[in-house]
Amino acid sequence: MNIKDLLNQMTIEEKLGQMTQLPPHMFIEASKTTVYGDMRDLELKKQEYLLAGSVLGIKDADEMISVQNIILKHSRLKIPALFMADIIHGYETIFPIPLAQAASFNPNLTKEMNAIAAVESSTAGIHVTFAPMVDLSRDARWGRVMEGYGEDPLLNEKMTKAAVDGYHHGNPKDVGYLASCFKHFAGYGASEAGRDYNTVDMSYERFYNVYQPSYQVAIDAGSEMCMLAFNTFNGIPATINRKLTQEILKKQMGFDGVIISDFDALHQTVAHGAARDDEHAAELGLHAGLMIEMGSSTYLTYGKKLLNDGKITLKQIDDAVYKILALKEHLGLFDDPYKGASKSREKTLVRSEKHLNAAVDLSLESPVLLKNNGVLPLNKMKKIALVGPFSKSQALLGAWHWHGQSSQNQTYAQTLSKDMTLVSVSESYDVSHIKDVDAVILTTGEGEYDSGESKSKVGIDIDLQASEAIKTLQKNNIPTIVLVHGGRPLNLTSITAADAIIYTWFLGSKHAEVITHILLGNVSPSGKLPMSLPRHVGQYPMSYHDFNTGRPFDPHNSEYTTKYLDIDLTPLYPFGYGLTYGEASVALITELKNHWDGSSPLTLIFQIENKSNFVIKEVLQIYMNMHPSIPVRPVKKLIHFKKQLLNPYEKVLVEFSISIHDLIIYDEDKNQHFDPSTLTLMYGFNSKDTKEIIIDWRPHHDIT
Ligand code: GLC
């Protein structure tokens, strides 16, 4: 298709239509598709909304085909619509929530999950997913931490690359390829007070070093679209923030794809106090290079008037429409507008046995074992009591589970009873009647819809009834295994007396089966915390990679040092922490010089030893600090990690190559700094318990 020719034939109304995205129910009454956010009555005339160039969400192949037929029938130039949806952690075969995927510290699993999601999505003719969400966050009060990859820049970057590569299954014109729309640009995970949609204000030094890297990785991985964030970014709504979109996203970061607003966000720039009214919002959006407005109709309604009044230019519209048409060409929609939408493909591919089996295998590495005094694995135990609100629950998919059906989930009661005698199953915390069992499995945490969009909370403590139950069981000498469910870090302070604690997250379609495999020891847990677990919600925002401050906490003389009077300032469980059923040790075996100039990579070889008879997977993590440094460096910053399988009593060599890329720090003008310094490398199996390597960093003269 010759996009330039097509563009030149289009009327202004047709061009403004391409810049508008509406939900399918506006096209057909029958549509039952869920639209996230309140759908205001847009007062659009039929001949207006039928011009829409893309559709938000779709139920299935039948609905997609009928909506595409309606749009093509009314399109004078037969321009097909793009169909986009929130395929965040699966289409109908649902995988662990993204935060749980990050807990695996194994990005390849995410790549495989997203490839399956892309194939299932293609059966309904979905062309673009609004994912990955790559908003780094240090604040568990923000409900959307479940949708991201945690507090660390490197883990965010690795997961982002894997997520985009997974959706990009095959070639863009192939059926089964899902274009990706990374989001939300920018800094949405830093919403003040963890309150969703709230203000975001940060220095450019922090943005460049902490929040921007994962967006850059999405761009470099070829993500075709970028969704702007609801929040203001340094005083201006991201949706109309020209510095953000033009100077940073396009010029500095090199993004050359389609920029879309979040749901109704262009209209909401009036509520922000930026735009006078919808007409002004449309003007600001066009000047900011916003190409598609989702769920509102200011472009369709006011675009022609703004053009006639000389407030916007035809070039601004043409540049946007060109990109939208080019994306449709990139995906082969002019040749095949339905691209895989078919009931027969739905029947064979969606929730297929192959996909469901994969959901088990790909989820096993997400749960995090926080404590185990030897009570796990349960393979030796036979009589179990199961208690707590999740004991018979099927609501284990996690928020954003698109077409996933909880009703098809197995419960713990079902999966555990296949291998052991469940003496009793109760959804309460009442354990007073329990005796003569080998152990109690106590399920607790927050529900799957207690996190996600617009689900900010300050109450993240575990239900006190759980700790009361643990006390009772311990008095009766009954071992207690606690399964914590959550889409965000929770405060586990009240349950640390339990004999074992597993953070299960929400693992999707095969949640209960996966946890049962781990409880039975069919596989050792290998997850690591992608976000620190707090002692109190008041510690947020918090992360392991904070600065030292000029008065670092000194336990021997804490008077005038950074601290809280009423709580230990460290996390209850640190970033990168997680146990296995085994025990591993690590030793550096490279003979290192005590200085380095960066002219060639620094190679570190470690030996990891499995001192147990379990098959385990351990994550060796490498952190760094540089002192002195301006700007200052975090006390620790993760620069490498590797997950390693270890057979019983096996010793394995693991190699890392440290490059000057790992040492980069940006100032507020994005200049890089490598000043001579003492480089401290720290290694271990979590961010707290590490051993140090001290190196005199003297950058080679050609390293500026
Ligand atoms: C929502 C979310 C965004 C999602 C969009 C479409 O409000 O903020 O992440 O992709 O609307 O559902």
Side-chain angles (χ1 to χ4, degrees):
M1 171 58 68
N2 184 316
I3 304 298
K4 212 113 192 79
D5 285 354
L6 178 59
L7 187 65
N8 292 335
Q9 298 170 57
M10 294 171 73
T11 65
I12 183 65
E13 289 81 1
E14 288 165 339
K15 291 176 181 176
L16 295 168
Q18 288 300 308
M19 300 171 73
T20 304
Q21 178 171 110
L22 299 173
H25 66 67
M26 296 190 77
F27 302 92
I28 48 175
E29 283 65 51
S31 164
K32 302 279 178 291
T33 300
T34 314
V35 174
Y36 292 98
D38 302 330
M39 192 67 224
R40 296 177 299 109
D41 173 8
L42 299 178
E43 292 136 24
L44 286 173
K45 294 186 275 307
K46 183 167 179 148
Q47 70 275 18
E48 283 177 318
Y49 68 69
L50 284 174
L51 293 171
S54 56
V55 178
L56 161 60
I58 199 74
K59 187 160 72 76
D60 56 20
D62 280 348
E63 184 175 277
M64 185 271 178
I65 292 167
S66 53
V67 171
Q68 188 72 294
N69 285 339
I70 291 168
I71 288 172
L72 285 170
K73 179 164 169 276
H74 286 84
S75 169
R76 181 175 61 89
L77 297 166
K78 302 305 168 201
I79 300 173
L82 271 165
F83 285 74
M84 308 189 192
D86 295 285
I87 313 301
I88 310 289
H89 55 108
Y91 173 84
E92 193 166 320
T93 301
I94 303 303
F95 300 105
I97 58 173
L99 190 61
Q101 293 180 29
S104 74
F105 274 66
N106 186 348
N108 290 331
L109 301 176
T110 290
K111 184 174 176 182
E112 291 185 52
M113 291 175 203
N114 288 356
I116 290 171
V119 169
E120 291 197 1
S121 303
S122 71
T123 65
I126 293 171
H127 307 127
V128 184
T129 178
F130 297 125
M133 191 198 94
V134 298
D135 300 306
L136 182 141
S137 185
R138 299 165 149 174
D139 196 330
R141 293 172 294 179
W142 188 54
R144 298 192 78 161
V145 291
M146 58 74 54
E147 198 181 341
Y149 300 121
E151 70 188 55
D152 175 73
L154 181 72
L155 184 57
N156 265 274
E157 291 173 54
K158 298 292 186 191
M159 295 303 294
T160 298
K161 166 78 174 146
V164 174
D165 289 354
Y167 289 130
H168 288 179
H169 181 62
N171 296 310
K173 289 183 165 58
D174 295 343
V175 167
Y177 178 97
L178 193 56
S180 89
C181 175
F182 72 91
K183 64 187 185 182
H184 306 75
F185 199 71
Y188 186 22
S191 299
E192 282 184 359
R195 185 154 44 84
D196 209 350
Y197 314 126
N198 199 13
T199 305
V200 170
D201 223 283
M202 67 176 74
S203 70
Y204 280 98
E205 184 273 338
R206 167 157 295 183
F207 178 62
Y208 294 146
N209 288 305
V210 177
Y211 291 89
Q212 187 185 40
S214 50
Y215 299 119
Q216 185 67 63
V217 166
I219 294 170
D220 298 346
S223 205
E224 289 90 348
M225 291 183 65
C226 170
M227 184 185 297
L228 300 178
F230 284 123
N231 50 274
T232 54
F233 186 83
N234 293 346
I236 301 174
T239 306
I240 53 159
N241 189 321
R242 294 175 67 173
K243 175 164 182 169
L244 211 49
T245 57
Q246 304 304 311
E247 283 178 43
I248 295 179
L249 180 64
K250 293 177 79 167
K251 280 205 203 89
Q252 186 195 85
M253 298 175 75
F255 181 66
D256 190 28
V258 174
I259 301 173
I260 188 169
S261 77
D262 204 331
F263 190 93
D264 196 36
L266 187 54
H267 163 71
Q268 291 166 13
T269 58
V270 179
H272 270 294
R276 177 187 335 105
D277 52 27
D278 274 355
E279 179 178 341
H280 188 206
E283 179 185 349
L284 294 171
L286 278 158
H287 285 311
L290 176 69
M291 299 172 189
I292 299 179
E293 80 172 295
M294 179 201 295
S296 57
S297 55
T298 70
Y299 282 174
L300 256 181
T301 309
Y302 299 103
K304 189 171 182 178
K305 179 177 183 301
L306 289 166
L307 189 63
N308 295 339
D309 294 350
K311 290 184 177 171
I312 56 163
T313 67
L314 182 60
K315 184 178 184 308
Q316 283 169 324
I317 292 174
D318 284 354
D319 287 351
V321 177
Y322 183 88
K323 288 286 178 201
I324 296 163
L325 297 175
L327 178 56
K328 295 182 180 185
E329 171 60 17
H330 167 72
L331 296 172
L333 297 192
F334 289 104
D335 302 325
D336 177 4
Y338 306 96
K339 208 177 170 192
S342 110
K343 282 197 87 59
S344 62
R345 290 187 73 239
E346 276 176 335
K347 279 201 183 66
T348 51
L349 291 169
V350 174
R351 265 187 77 87
S352 67
E353 191 181 346
K354 180 177 163 229
H355 291 174
L356 289 171
N357 291 338
V360 175
D361 298 339
L362 299 173
S363 307
L364 289 167
E365 298 187 31
S366 286
V368 181
L369 179 62
L370 297 171
K371 182 179 179 185
N372 180 26
N373 67 3
V375 67
L376 289 177
L378 288 175
N379 50 1
K380 300 174 287 300
M381 304 201 176
K382 287 302 163 212
K383 293 195 292 182
I384 299 292
L386 176 63
V387 300
F390 293 86
S391 301
K392 300 179 193 169
S393 171
Q394 293 178 294
L396 301 164
L397 296 176
W400 286 114
H401 57 257
W402 195 243
H403 290 345
Q405 314 287 327
S406 300
S407 57
Q408 293 171 311
N409 270 52
Q410 297 247 318
T411 66
Y412 289 124
Q414 291 166 321
T415 55
L416 287 167
S417 55
K418 289 179 186 146
D419 290 88
M420 54 187 80
T421 306
L422 285 187
V423 171
S424 66
V425 178
S426 157
E427 291 179 296
S428 81
Y429 287 110
D430 176 12
V431 295
S432 54
H433 63 287
I434 293 175
K435 46 182 174 292
D436 186 26
V437 294
D438 294 319
V440 167
I441 295 173
L442 184 148
T443 66
T444 188
E446 64 170 15
E448 65 175 339
Y449 286 118
D450 286 328
S451 59
E453 183 176 351
S454 76
K455 303 291 173 50
S456 295
K457 282 167 67 170
V458 294
I460 60 170
D461 297 350
I462 293 292
D463 187 328
L464 278 179
Q465 293 181 75
S467 60
E468 294 308 314
I470 294 166
K471 279 187 201 130
T472 304
L473 291 166
Q474 298 214 313
K475 205 164 65 212
N476 298 339
N477 292 318
I478 299 175
T480 311
I481 297 124
V482 178
L483 301 181
V484 180
H485 302 73
R488 59 159 44 91
L490 298 172
N491 174 12
L492 310 189
T493 307
S494 66
I495 61 167
T496 50
D499 299 281
I501 304 172
I502 296 179
Y503 221 96
T504 71
W505 313 107
F506 289 106
L507 302 175
S509 303
K510 289 293 181 182
H511 179 108
E513 292 89 328
V514 168
I515 296 300
T516 299
H517 277 305
I518 287 175
L519 290 170
L520 294 174
N522 298 339
V523 66
S524 165
S526 64
K528 299 283 184 179
L529 292 173
M531 288 184 80
S532 317
L533 296 190
R535 298 176 188 275
H536 189 282
V537 70
Q539 291 180 278
Y540 284 114
M542 71 185 286
S543 79
Y544 82 91
H545 60 315
D546 278 341
F547 295 151
N548 201 37
T549 80
R551 294 189 170 186
F553 179 67
D554 174 355
H556 308 298
N557 176 15
S558 67
E559 177 72 19
Y560 294 102
T561 63
T562 188
K563 67 177 183 299
Y564 297 106
L565 285 178
D566 47 359
I567 200 167
D568 184 319
L569 81 162
T570 61
L572 185 65
Y573 292 101
F575 169 83
Y577 179 85
L579 303 173
T580 69
Y581 285 151
E583 188 203 338
S585 66
V586 59
L588 173 69
I589 58 173
T590 315
E591 288 295 321
L592 270 184
K593 294 198 210 84
N594 65 2
H595 61 276
W596 180 42
D597 71 0
S599 54
S600 60
L602 195 59
T603 300
L604 302 179
I605 301 174
F606 296 90
Q607 175 179 279
I608 307 177
E609 181 180 357
N610 178 1
K611 297 172 178 276
S612 76
N613 64 353
F614 284 98
V615 175
I616 63 173
K617 290 182 179 175
E618 249 307 351
V619 181
L620 182 52
Q621 302 156 45
I622 312 287
Y623 296 85
M624 69 156 277
N625 172 268
M626 289 175 86
H627 179 184
S629 170
I630 294 177
V632 295
R633 304 286 178 147
V635 171
K636 285 183 179 178
K637 182 177 184 294
L638 184 68
I639 54 172
H640 287 279
F641 64 85
K642 268 186 191 162
K643 188 164 209 178
Q644 180 62 48
L645 171 73
L646 293 138
N647 291 311
Y649 306 108
E650 186 181 19
K651 294 177 182 174
V652 175
L653 296 184
V654 177
E655 183 173 314
F656 293 95
S657 178
I658 312 289
S659 75
I660 56 168
H661 174 80
D662 297 316
L663 310 185
I664 289 174
I665 191 164
Y666 298 107
D667 64 19
E668 60 189 355
D669 302 315
K670 205 157 185 186
N671 300 311
Q672 299 179 4
H673 291 268
F674 295 98
D675 312 321
S677 181
T678 297
L679 168 63
T680 304
L681 297 174
M682 294 153 271
Y683 62 93
F685 298 130
N686 65 67
S687 61
K688 175 170 168 281
D689 310 307
T690 53
K691 296 174 190 162
E692 290 189 351
I693 304 166
I694 309 289
I695 291 172
D696 188 13
W697 165 247
R698 293 274 167 265
H700 192 271
H701 57 74
D702 64 6
I703 293 175
T704 50

